[in-house]
Amino acid sequence: MKLSNLLTACLMVVVVFSSCTKVPGSGKMDFKNQKDSVSYALGYIEATQIKKQWQQMPFEVDSVARVEFAKVFAKRRLSERYLNFRTDQFESINEDAFIKGFLNEFAYGKSYFNDMSSDVLLRTAFEDIKKKKAEIKKKEVAANLVKGQKYLEENKKRSEIMETESGLQYEIIREGNGSIATEKDRVKCTYHGTLIDGTVFDSSVERGDTATFAVTGVIKGWTEALQLMPVGSKWRLHIPSELAYGERGSGAKIGGNETLIFDLDLVEILPQN
């Protein structure tokens, strides 16, 4: 074989070997928007964290091993749980950009970011989104208050509705003839809670069980109603937000300043210990 042919053959082997060692999905990144930058930076951060963890292992993981591991990672996609976590923080994630940022740093130690620049970018993006969410929530809370006040104003025009001095509205579905609880008592009840649009947020009725609690251990609207209704009664409570969870709301389903509706059935006043 001629020397030129031998060199050509060797070069081809090198090229083939190099193409085989390149990690799919790694390489140059074309940043088109803020989402791409945030996603890539997140991938970089995750890669650096894993590399730091591997440095604590009792045996050395060299660059060749990292490339081989990166090839395995390149075939995977991000878990739904992780995507939901990051999406909640940054609104949306470009998964391909994240993976490229991860692979570039993990396999080759090369990135468009370093620890400082990625930290500044992610902190700034997070704060911007946090402010945006706060503004949206502020508008929603204000709208809920107006919506609830309008509902209560219309609702109290119904003949079956009674309203207390605090603003609590109730209607008697079934009148009991038992004793009435005091603020020192514990009671057993069943209940079904909805928003004024009918959305169910909690229901012992749907679960098929009862709830036991102190009269003063619940929202103000319940505390007031439980000291008015005899055992055996079932009332429908229409509770203004200030007697419920106020501006903060509760959980994922009850927003700030939501007016709540409860069908409350007082089953028993429990004996005091």
Side-chain angles (χ1 to χ4, degrees):
M1 179 181 292
K2 293 183 179 180
L3 180 60
S4 59
N5 291 339
L6 179 61
L7 290 175
T8 301
C10 289
L11 180 60
M12 290 180 63
V13 170
V14 171
V15 170
V16 171
F17 180 78
S18 299
S19 65
C20 291
T21 58
K22 185 179 184 302
V23 178
S26 64
K28 183 180 178 180
M29 175 67 196
D30 181 17
F31 295 96
K32 297 180 180 178
N33 48 46
Q34 175 81 345
K35 181 170 73 171
D36 288 351
S37 298
V38 167
S39 302
Y40 188 99
L42 285 171
Y44 163 80
I45 289 291
E46 296 292 358
T48 59
Q49 292 299 316
I50 293 179
K51 287 169 68 175
K52 288 176 182 178
Q53 292 174 10
W54 283 21
Q55 288 174 0
Q56 306 302 316
M57 298 176 71
F59 48 85
E60 184 178 356
V61 181
D62 61 18
S63 59
V64 175
R66 285 201 303 272
V67 168
E68 293 306 311
F69 273 108
K71 290 179 181 178
V72 176
F73 291 145
K75 298 177 182 178
R76 302 291 186 267
R77 306 306 291 177
L78 299 180
S79 70
E80 183 177 353
R81 181 179 179 183
Y82 184 85
L83 276 174
N84 290 339
F85 167 64
R86 290 305 190 185
T87 299
D88 184 60
Q89 289 181 311
F90 298 102
E91 289 190 325
S92 62
I93 295 295
N94 181 337
E95 190 172 356
D96 291 334
F98 178 101
I99 292 173
K100 190 178 291 291
F102 179 90
L103 295 175
N104 283 351
E105 174 57 30
F106 186 82
Y108 305 113
K110 296 181 179 180
S111 180
Y112 293 92
F113 291 96
N114 56 34
D115 289 349
M116 181 176 291
S117 61
S118 62
D119 183 67
V120 170
L121 172 70
L122 295 176
R123 285 180 183 272
T124 302
F126 181 78
E127 288 301 320
D128 288 345
I129 292 170
K130 185 177 178 181
K131 290 178 183 178
K132 181 179 177 181
K133 288 182 177 180
E135 285 299 317
I136 293 174
K137 184 175 181 180
K138 184 178 180 181
K139 292 179 181 179
E140 289 177 346
V141 167
N144 286 340
L145 181 61
V146 173
K147 182 174 60 177
Q149 290 172 339
K150 182 178 179 181
Y151 169 83
L152 293 169
E153 282 297 317
E154 291 297 318
N155 192 56
K156 70 180 182 181
K157 295 176 182 179
R158 298 164 51 211
S159 59
E160 62 269 33
I161 295 295
M162 287 168 274
E163 186 175 49
T164 69
E165 187 176 346
S166 70
L168 172 68
Q169 296 179 4
Y170 66 92
E171 54 187 299
I172 300 173
I173 298 174
R174 183 181 67 244
E175 183 67 47
N177 55 11
S179 56
I180 297 177
T182 69
E183 63 180 11
K184 297 180 181 180
D185 287 320
R186 291 177 60 80
V187 295
K188 180 184 291 186
C189 299
T190 64
Y191 63 89
H192 181 76
T194 71
L195 305 180
I196 59 178
D197 65 1
T199 300
V200 178
F201 57 82
D202 192 13
S203 176
S204 72
V205 174
E206 290 186 353
R207 292 192 300 271
D209 62 10
T210 58
T212 300
F213 43 79
V215 170
T216 56
V218 287
I219 58 176
K220 293 179 181 178
W222 273 40
T223 297
E224 182 178 357
L226 288 168
Q227 295 177 81
L228 296 174
M229 56 193 302
V231 170
S233 296
K234 182 177 182 180
W235 289 9
R236 179 164 295 155
L237 310 179
H238 306 264
I239 306 177
S241 61
E242 62 268 23
L243 299 179
Y245 295 101
E247 290 186 358
R248 295 181 63 182
S250 178
K253 294 185 178 181
I254 303 177
N257 280 341
E258 290 276 16
T259 294
L260 307 181
I261 302 172
F262 280 99
D263 285 354
L264 180 60
D265 193 336
L266 179 53
V267 178
E268 179 185 1
I269 298 174
L270 300 175
Q272 294 185 9
N273 294 329

